[in-house]
Amino acid sequence: MIEQKQKVFVAKLQELPMRIGREVIVDENKIAVFRLSDDRVRAIGGVCPHSHGPLAEGIVSGDYVYCPLRDYKVSLIDGKVQEPDDGSVATYEVVIEDDSVYILL
Amino acid sequence: MKERLLLIGNGMAGVRTIEEILERDSSKYEITIIGEEKYTNYNRIMLSNVLQNKMTVDEIITNPMQWYEENNIKLVNHDPAVAMDTERKEVTTESGLKLAYDKCIIATGSRAFILPIEGSQLEGVIGFRTIDDTLLMLEQAKKYKRAAVIGGGLLGLEAAKGLVDQGMEVTVIHLEKWLMETQLNEPAGNLLKKDLEKQGIQFLMEKKTTRIIGTTRVEGLEFSDGTTLEADVVIMSVGIRPVTQLAKDAGLTVERGIVVNDFMETSAADVYAVGECAQHNNMVYGLVAPLYEQGKVLADLLTDRPVEGYKGSTVSTSLKVSGCDLFSAGIIRESDEVKSIEAFNGLANSYKKLFIKDNHIVGIVLYGDVSEENRYHKMLRDKKDISELNPVTLLASAEDGGVSDSVVNWDDADTVCGCNGVTKGTIVGAIQTQGLTSVAEVSRCTKAGNSCGKCKGDIGELLAHVLGDKVAQAPTGICGCTDLTRDEIVLQIHEKGLMTSKEVFKELQFRNEEGCSKCRPAINFYLNVAFPKEHEDEKESRFVNERMHGNIQKSGQFSVIPRMRGGQTTPQQLLKIAQVAEKYNVPLVKVTGSQRIGLYGVNKEDLPDIWEELDMTSASAYAKAVRSVKTCVGAAFCRFGTQDSMGLGIKLEERFEYIDTPHKFKMGVSACPRSCAESGVKDFGVIGVENGFQIYIGGNGGTEVKEAQLLTTVETEQEVIDICGAMLQYYRKTGEYAERTAPWIERLGFDHVKAILLDPAQRQALNAELDEAVAGKRKDPWTEVRNNENNEKELYTVGRV
């Protein structure tokens, strides 16, 4: 059985500033979307598991984002909070079609 | 029994020789040192820094009493040697003490040359040579107003600047057509004169002093053209003369100095001479580097090591006056054999000229921009063949495509610290064997970087190079991405002309290509300060508060705190704030700690609309920047008030708002010592008094409470504003990112900061620099977002599905 995923439009690629997050709320579920320096786009759960900081507002470096509240370092690839802390956030598939960025839920 | 080694002269050259001997063999000799002055060995080069308030006498002592004790050295101090018998091998001091020796080193140095003219013995005529001379000058500067400095050489100019810093009116009298004529050529000499004039020194050029006027105390000078100059103090700095009388009386061969061979041996058996009193191959040196080279040769000889002998030195000079960077080395006169190439940059007021003979650089003059000094100096020392390089490449900076020459590629024998004669090999060895991880530690262990400090960047590079991956444990770096300190990074940003964070991370080999949450905002700040015009602020490197222009809260929402300069508001503003708070259901309205009104718990996407409806500007309550100024009501309403504190607070805020600083910069203005605006715990606090304003700096009411220190008292509001501007710019230039002013002042030293801020010339220069750096940048960020000037509205977009 093929699971039908929901495709949610985020923005045109050019509208996303590099290394500055964009928050998308789908059914009260917060998702943080990032356009990296090499134009890859990543989407992860938007709330840090520790102090519930909005990850979309964090500083982005390489494949990581730093939570703006307590500086937890979260991977944009697998959603894992980096050592010495632990925990993780969800990750979402991203597709780019005709310069439009979508996340699949 | 140990051999007895006697050193006559407790100065830099002699003591350095002893240090070199102890390093090689600490048990060979029983050492005695005879000194004329009452101090232990000190760094004479730094006397001008004492005069310029940059250092204290204690700070220039290089070998405290403890050092003599620890090394079992007998010190016969404040008791000069007066006679020497080379047959009996015995020296007599002024107090009649007789000291026998097996080996004797003469290092009596030199004295200031006093012109043999009428009046030179008058009270108020001072040579600039010793700590006592310096203390006398400081004391006289308090009592008298006008100083004349005879001689526009290195020492004379440093003395002149020092006396200007002490508040005197200073005129320098120079015999030649341009200043420092032995080290500089005419164009560089003229640039120097212009810069020094800007710092308040006056000049009389091509004037020969024939008489010092006065009966008991000096009253003025008379010149060969019949003109005169009034003066209360005269500094003689026309040159130095080697002190050789003792050697001469003992029958040693003495010409201009005590004649020595390549092994520093005098004409008498077992008697050696080093330093300024020695004459080697017809040269008498008056600078420090050659003395150290001589000391090493002699130490090798006296500890029975293979020794090649001293071959003479190429001397180089730099001047220790802020704002006048110059460097000179080698032969700097053209002749049939010596040709030159030069470059003059009228915009930057900088000048460089290289003297070339047989395809080798033999002389260097740099003025204004001395960043290439090491590169050229090394080419000169190494006698590098430059026939491959065309003149343009040679004059171009290394970064512009010329030959880059990092200290890492130097030979071990190359000198890194010219002041203390420390080679690259010594530094690298110390880093390796003693496990050093910071520039400060290297300085402590090797003395490199301890004097003028110019080589600290090179030391940093060596540290980075030697430690390589091991530096992971070194706690020196600004974050986990690098082991470089703030100073090292900023230095390299300037030296390598790194214009973006990306370049910094790449060139300085940060472990993370894009840095981390610690270094990203820091580097962005350093670049903004280093290249205010060229560097485009990197929004993605700003912490969320500064990117969104509001304080992020626990809830992920933001606060809105509008500007109310000096804490003053109006009924209209209050109405608007009330309306907005109601309309947007703002959960909390509160009066803030610095006399503003804050709206807390605002959704991100509402921010631009709220700012629009308030139609007020941002108080920067979230930024590492100049914050709002807290004031008391002041003279207009308060019965104790002496000054218009609100008015001055508003002026300060208007003048400096929206300027970024390493950390937040808080101010307070109170109108009387009751200090209702809490001026005593502000970064910059003002307290009005009857005759003006007391200025306090470096206070902090935060995590670590620090009382501000009284900087000075001034008469006018304008002076308060000027000192504030100078402090801001100096803090921006030297502060570590996220370092408050209290630790900053502690790190630099209160006296140092004070000297800078109270020096009229430096104050003016810093204000000019600040104005230039922030021109066109002090804009209200809320207005910019409202007008969507940089497409910033996108940052406040939240997608909702």
Side-chain angles (χ1 to χ4, degrees):
Chain A
M1 195 175 95
I2 299 167
E3 198 184 337
Q4 191 65 40
K5 284 197 171 179
Q6 188 189 356
K7 188 166 152 188
V8 176
F9 174 74
V10 176
K12 288 282 181 189
L13 184 64
Q14 299 78 9
E15 288 169 0
L16 295 176
M18 270 188 184
R19 292 193 283 174
I20 293 181
R22 165 76 60 96
E23 191 171 78
V24 181
I25 303 177
V26 185
D27 298 334
E28 297 192 1
N29 186 17
K30 289 180 180 170
I31 298 169
V33 182
F34 301 93
R35 177 182 173 200
L36 308 185
S37 339
D38 54 6
D39 264 347
R40 278 181 300 149
V41 177
R42 292 280 161 186
I44 60 169
V47 181
C48 181
H50 293 268
S51 17
H52 310 295
L55 291 177
E57 311 296 347
I59 286 183
V60 179
S61 163
D63 289 337
Y64 301 94
V65 63
Y66 292 84
C67 171
L69 292 192
R70 289 285 183 271
D71 214 29
Y72 291 104
K73 186 178 177 182
V74 182
S75 165
L76 300 175
I77 306 294
D78 59 14
K80 284 209 171 94
V81 178
Q82 302 296 296
E83 307 261 340
D85 308 299
D86 52 17
S88 67
V89 294
T91 55
Y92 300 93
E93 204 177 324
V94 175
V95 287
I96 303 175
E97 289 167 6
D98 295 336
D99 281 347
S100 291
V101 177
Y102 302 90
I103 38 182
L104 302 182
L105 298 168
Chain B
M1 203 178 115
K2 284 186 190 178
E3 281 187 274
R4 291 161 301 183
L5 175 64
L6 178 64
L7 168 66
I8 306 177
N10 188 25
M12 298 178 73
V15 173
R16 183 52 182 263
T17 307
I18 299 292
E19 285 180 334
E20 294 281 350
I21 291 171
L22 290 172
E23 234 170 65
R24 286 163 177 73
D25 187 347
S26 58
S27 57
K28 186 168 162 73
Y29 292 105
E30 182 188 311
I31 301 170
T32 305
I33 301 179
I34 301 176
E36 179 179 22
E37 293 180 61
K38 61 175 179 256
Y39 307 92
T40 56
N41 180 40
Y42 60 89
N43 189 338
R44 204 177 295 283
I45 309 174
M46 296 292 127
L47 284 175
S48 61
N49 284 347
V50 174
L51 199 59
Q52 293 174 40
N53 289 331
K54 290 183 202 158
M55 294 175 92
T56 64
V57 167
D58 280 347
E59 281 171 329
I60 69 168
I61 302 274
T62 43
N63 302 71
M65 206 51 191
Q66 195 191 351
W67 175 83
Y68 296 84
E69 286 160 6
E70 279 170 5
N71 290 292
N72 293 318
I73 294 169
K74 182 175 169 196
L75 177 63
V76 179
N77 223 13
H78 208 191
D79 187 11
V82 291
M84 176 172 192
D85 186 334
T86 56
E87 293 291 314
R88 298 180 56 185
K89 292 193 155 186
E90 190 179 78
V91 172
T92 311
T93 69
E94 197 174 63
S95 70
L97 207 59
K98 288 191 188 301
L99 298 161
Y101 66 81
D102 297 304
K103 311 262 184 202
C104 177
I105 304 172
I106 305 179
T108 42
S110 49
R111 278 190 220 294
F113 178 58
I114 301 292
L115 285 175
I117 51 175
E118 187 186 331
S120 62
Q121 78 298 339
L122 287 173
E123 200 189 315
V125 179
I126 309 170
F128 180 32
R129 185 74 198 156
T130 62
I131 288 185
D132 285 337
D133 293 337
T134 311
L135 296 177
L136 180 63
M137 283 162 75
L138 287 171
E139 180 207 309
Q140 300 264 312
K142 287 201 186 101
K143 291 193 220 156
Y144 300 97
K145 191 77 199 145
R146 296 159 306 180
V149 176
I150 307 181
L154 189 70
L155 216 52
L157 296 178
E158 291 183 359
K161 175 63 167 85
L163 292 174
V164 167
D165 289 345
Q166 299 301 327
M168 296 191 83
E169 289 167 17
V170 182
T171 307
V172 171
I173 296 96
H174 196 54
L175 190 60
E176 307 293 333
K177 207 170 155 196
W178 66 88
L179 299 173
M180 292 183 66
E181 74 284 348
T182 46
Q183 292 92 7
L184 297 182
N185 57 353
E186 190 167 353
N190 288 337
L191 284 177
L192 172 62
K193 177 162 167 268
K194 256 190 241 161
D195 280 344
L196 289 170
E197 277 167 346
K198 277 187 220 149
Q199 299 197 20
I201 302 175
Q202 301 174 55
F203 291 95
L204 289 175
M205 302 300 283
E206 297 181 77
K207 284 268 189 192
K208 185 178 179 190
T209 311
T210 48
R211 188 164 77 95
I212 300 175
I213 309 162
T215 44
T216 56
R217 191 182 169 85
V218 53
E219 289 163 19
L221 298 178
E222 188 180 285
F223 306 111
S224 57
D225 58 7
T227 57
T228 58
L229 173 78
E230 291 184 358
D232 313 309
V233 175
V234 171
I235 310 301
M236 284 270 190
S237 54
V238 290
I240 51 174
R241 291 291 177 270
V243 176
T244 57
Q245 197 59 47
L246 178 82
K248 211 182 268 177
D249 292 346
L252 274 58
T253 308
V254 174
E255 291 172 7
R256 274 183 306 143
I258 303 166
V259 177
V260 295
N261 62 15
D262 286 357
F263 301 98
M264 315 319 293
E265 293 166 327
T266 67
S267 60
D270 294 323
V271 179
Y272 310 84
V274 287
E276 294 179 346
C277 66
Q279 175 182 332
H280 173 263
N281 200 10
N282 276 323
M283 286 293 294
V284 176
Y285 296 99
L287 292 160
V288 72
L291 317 188
Y292 290 160
E293 289 169 25
Q294 294 175 357
K296 280 182 188 164
V297 170
L298 182 54
D300 280 339
L301 184 81
L302 291 179
T303 52
D304 308 314
R305 290 177 180 229
V307 52
E308 252 185 63
Y310 176 65
K311 302 278 181 253
S313 306
T314 314
V315 293
S316 61
T317 311
S318 39
L319 180 73
K320 286 178 293 306
V321 171
S322 328
C324 300
D325 291 326
L326 67 82
F327 177 79
S328 145
I331 304 164
I332 54 149
R333 295 283 174 268
E334 286 174 58
S335 64
D336 289 344
E337 295 170 316
V338 179
K339 303 292 177 209
S340 69
I341 51 176
E342 63 188 314
F344 178 75
N345 178 345
L347 283 175
N349 230 19
S350 73
Y351 173 83
K352 49 174 119 168
K353 185 163 189 168
L354 301 174
F355 296 80
I356 293 160
K357 181 183 164 188
D358 304 333
N359 285 325
H360 296 108
I361 295 180
V362 293
I364 306 161
V365 172
L366 303 176
Y367 188 84
D369 174 12
V370 296
S371 55
E372 303 283 307
E373 99 177 41
N374 280 333
R375 173 177 161 231
Y376 292 132
H377 197 198
K378 184 167 152 50
M379 287 170 129
L380 183 150
R381 273 197 318 251
D382 293 354
K383 304 196 168 48
K384 184 182 167 71
D385 187 336
I386 54 162
S387 49
E388 296 287 300
L389 302 168
N390 71 42
V392 176
T393 326
L394 193 56
L395 282 175
S397 297
E399 291 74 24
D400 303 340
V403 186
S404 164
D405 186 31
S406 153
V407 63
V408 169
N409 303 324
W410 292 13
D411 295 333
D412 280 355
D414 287 334
T415 304
V416 174
C417 172
C419 296
N420 294 310
V422 186
T423 61
K424 179 188 163 190
T426 309
I427 293 173
V428 170
I431 294 172
Q432 284 167 340
T433 58
Q434 303 183 47
L436 311 180
T437 54
S438 70
V439 176
E441 284 172 357
V442 173
S443 295
R444 205 164 48 238
C445 296
T446 66
K447 292 199 158 61
N450 240 357
S451 295
C452 78
K454 235 172 14 195
C455 58
K456 283 188 176 163
D458 288 336
I459 300 173
E461 261 187 70
L462 285 176
L463 269 168
H465 178 68
V466 174
L467 296 179
D469 335 329
K470 272 188 291 176
V471 269
Q473 299 94 33
T476 50
I478 59 166
C479 68
C481 301
T482 181
D483 309 305
L484 299 174
T485 63
R486 178 260 174 217
D487 287 352
E488 287 156 1
I489 292 168
V490 171
L491 188 101
Q492 303 222 35
I493 284 175
H494 282 281
E495 289 210 333
K496 300 196 161 137
L498 307 176
M499 291 288 185
T500 62
S501 297
K502 200 175 166 186
E503 281 175 36
V504 172
F505 296 139
K506 183 154 181 283
E507 289 292 317
L508 305 187
Q509 291 159 13
F510 274 49
R511 282 185 274 275
N512 297 321
E513 260 172 55
E514 296 188 354
C516 69
S517 56
K518 299 255 179 336
C519 58
R520 278 269 291 285
I523 301 294
N524 184 49
F525 173 78
Y526 296 145
L527 288 168
N528 280 340
V529 173
F531 306 111
K533 293 209 169 49
E534 296 84 356
H535 182 246
E536 197 175 328
D537 186 60
E538 296 164 20
K539 204 165 266 305
E540 67 277 13
S541 296
R542 292 273 189 173
F543 181 61
V544 53
N545 291 354
E546 294 183 6
R547 183 165 9 101
M548 306 305 284
H549 313 298
N551 247 321
I552 194 161
Q553 295 164 348
K554 204 177 161 184
S555 56
Q557 292 170 303
F558 291 85
S559 63
V560 172
I561 303 175
R563 187 172 291 283
M564 296 171 176
R565 287 189 186 126
Q568 265 187 26
T569 184
T570 60
Q572 291 75 23
Q573 282 185 342
L574 293 174
L575 279 169
K576 260 191 210 160
I577 291 170
Q579 281 162 1
V580 166
E582 267 195 350
K583 177 170 170 188
Y584 289 87
N585 278 323
V586 172
L588 175 69
V589 182
K590 185 188 181 303
V591 175
T592 72
S594 64
Q595 303 179 333
R596 306 295 178 280
I597 294 175
L599 309 179
Y600 297 85
V602 175
N603 292 324
K604 177 166 87 166
E605 57 262 61
D606 290 336
L607 286 171
D609 293 337
I610 289 187
W611 296 336
E612 186 71 46
E613 283 173 48
L614 283 174
D615 194 25
M616 292 171 75
T617 58
S618 162
S620 308
Y622 43 79
K624 293 195 186 342
V626 174
R627 295 289 186 86
S628 44
V629 182
K630 192 168 180 173
T631 64
C632 69
V633 291
F637 291 89
C638 176
R639 65 205 161 99
F640 300 116
T642 60
Q643 300 284 355
D644 176 16
S645 49
M646 268 189 298
L648 178 55
I650 290 168
K651 280 180 205 158
L652 281 166
E653 203 167 326
E654 267 174 350
R655 176 77 173 74
F656 299 119
E657 60 197 12
Y658 305 120
I659 291 177
D660 284 343
T661 42
H663 208 311
K664 56 187 170 187
F665 190 90
K666 296 183 151 195
M667 297 195 255
V669 183
S670 307
C672 81
R674 288 165 190 79
S675 195
C676 293
E678 293 157 353
S679 307
V681 286
K682 297 293 180 209
D683 296 286
F684 188 86
V686 181
I687 293 182
V689 287
E690 279 306 332
N691 55 347
F693 305 89
Q694 292 176 335
I695 297 176
Y696 293 82
I697 61 171
N700 187 345
T703 331
E704 209 172 318
V705 182
K706 286 272 178 203
E707 196 180 330
Q709 301 182 66
L710 178 62
L711 178 76
T712 185
T713 305
V714 295
E715 285 174 20
T716 63
E717 290 189 342
Q718 189 57 48
E719 287 168 281
V720 174
I721 291 169
D722 287 347
I723 289 177
C724 182
M727 176 172 170
L728 277 171
Q729 180 63 2
Y730 200 54
Y731 178 39
R732 280 160 48 88
K733 278 174 71 173
T734 58
E736 290 173 7
Y737 185 76
E739 177 183 44
R740 288 292 299 268
T741 58
W744 170 68
I745 288 173
E746 206 164 292
R747 185 165 59 82
L748 266 59
F750 176 73
D751 289 340
H752 167 83
V753 175
K754 180 175 175 178
I756 300 272
L757 301 186
L758 298 189
D759 173 6
Q762 304 217 46
R763 196 192 301 170
Q764 200 188 344
L766 283 166
N767 272 292
E769 227 177 87
L770 179 67
D771 284 343
E772 207 186 322
V774 302
K777 294 197 164 181
R778 294 200 304 122
K779 291 187 194 152
D780 169 44
W782 292 357
T783 311
E784 286 186 305
V785 175
R786 284 163 60 191
N787 300 338
N788 204 16
E789 285 174 29
N790 308 309
N791 284 324
E792 276 190 307
K793 276 200 173 155
E794 274 176 9
L795 300 184
Y796 300 89
T797 309
V798 174
R800 280 180 198 277
V801 178

